[in-house]
Amino acid sequence: LILAVRMLQIRSNKCQKWKPVEVEASIANLGSIKLVPDNEIIRTAHFAWTELITRKAAQPFDSDNDVIVEIYDSWRELFTEFRELTKSIPAEEVRNNIDAQKLAELLVDALNKGLRPHLTKWQAKYRRWYNDESSKHLELSPQEIQRLFPNYDDLVDDLKLVNSELIGFAEALRKIAHG
């Protein structure tokens, strides 16, 4: 009898009923998505949320203290982690679970439609300029040097927009992962 009760407990834990979660993915205007997260989706969303909130990606840009090159380095690492995370979702889950498909596509879209346009437009230009200027202005702080960039205001406005979208995206992932 004890064994039968224990088996029922184990089975009921495996067959948990998950509640639907609807989140707004503001990044890249992806809109609202609704999914019913299972353990795999919750794990993936939690990992992605953790990656975002522990980097400058989902923290407000601080023009007095942040260094743009360091933000770009963090975004590059985020790209790597999100790629690996997306690849870690079992293929059978992606094929057989529409919600796993949605989350995988959301992670890829966050990179390709959220981060990539800003990086493509600004990163190479800015890094080249910054490397050249850093060697010329050894007496200035990195923050002072970056303010000399000819298109600094436009770059920062775009960076803040992407940053704001990533903060919203982190909140959507938190909601998926933590309920």
Side-chain angles (χ1 to χ4, degrees):
L1 183 61
I2 293 172
L3 183 59
V5 169
R6 184 68 184 128
M7 294 290 284
L8 285 173
Q9 287 173 335
I10 291 170
R11 186 174 295 153
S12 70
N13 285 342
K14 287 183 180 178
C15 298
Q16 289 179 341
K17 297 201 187 236
W18 300 101
K19 295 180 183 174
V21 176
E22 187 164 359
V23 294
E24 187 70 29
S26 61
I27 192 158
N29 299 316
L30 296 177
S32 180
I33 65 163
K34 187 175 186 176
L35 49 94
V36 179
D38 60 14
N39 283 332
E40 184 66 30
I41 291 169
I42 288 170
R43 180 198 67 79
T44 304
H46 177 74
F47 188 94
W49 171 76
T50 303
E51 284 296 321
L52 278 168
I53 65 158
T54 59
R55 298 182 184 281
K56 284 304 297 180
Q59 301 296 321
F61 177 74
D62 177 353
S63 59
D64 292 331
N65 297 302
D66 285 336
V67 177
I68 294 169
V69 169
E70 292 173 1
I71 290 172
Y72 287 162
D73 291 344
S74 182
W75 285 8
R76 180 182 180 143
E77 291 173 24
L78 180 67
F79 244 91
T80 301
E81 291 299 328
F82 269 30
R83 256 194 307 264
E84 291 304 312
L85 178 60
T86 304
K87 289 190 295 187
S88 78
I89 301 170
E92 62 275 6
E93 281 290 310
V94 175
R95 178 173 276 224
N96 298 320
N97 182 338
I98 189 73
D99 294 321
Q101 286 175 15
K102 288 178 189 177
L103 184 58
E105 289 170 5
L106 188 61
L107 293 172
V108 170
D109 285 347
L111 298 177
N112 289 335
K113 296 178 182 175
L115 284 175
R116 191 179 302 275
H118 174 91
L119 293 171
T120 300
K121 181 175 182 178
W122 293 108
Q123 181 179 215
K125 264 187 279 197
Y126 178 77
R127 280 188 188 271
R128 182 171 189 176
W129 174 89
Y130 185 81
N131 288 338
D132 291 345
E133 293 300 310
S134 293
S135 61
K136 293 178 191 174
H137 299 286
L138 298 176
E139 75 285 359
L140 297 177
S141 72
Q143 293 86 345
E144 292 169 319
I145 294 169
Q146 70 190 19
R147 286 187 203 99
L148 299 174
F149 183 63
N151 300 104
Y152 175 78
D153 290 335
D154 292 336
L155 182 151
V156 167
D157 287 346
D158 196 40
L159 187 143
K160 285 181 176 180
L161 176 64
V162 173
N163 182 238
S164 172
E165 290 178 345
L166 288 170
I167 290 169
F169 183 53
E171 178 55 27
L173 289 168
R174 187 204 59 75
K175 187 175 178 183
I176 292 167
H178 304 159

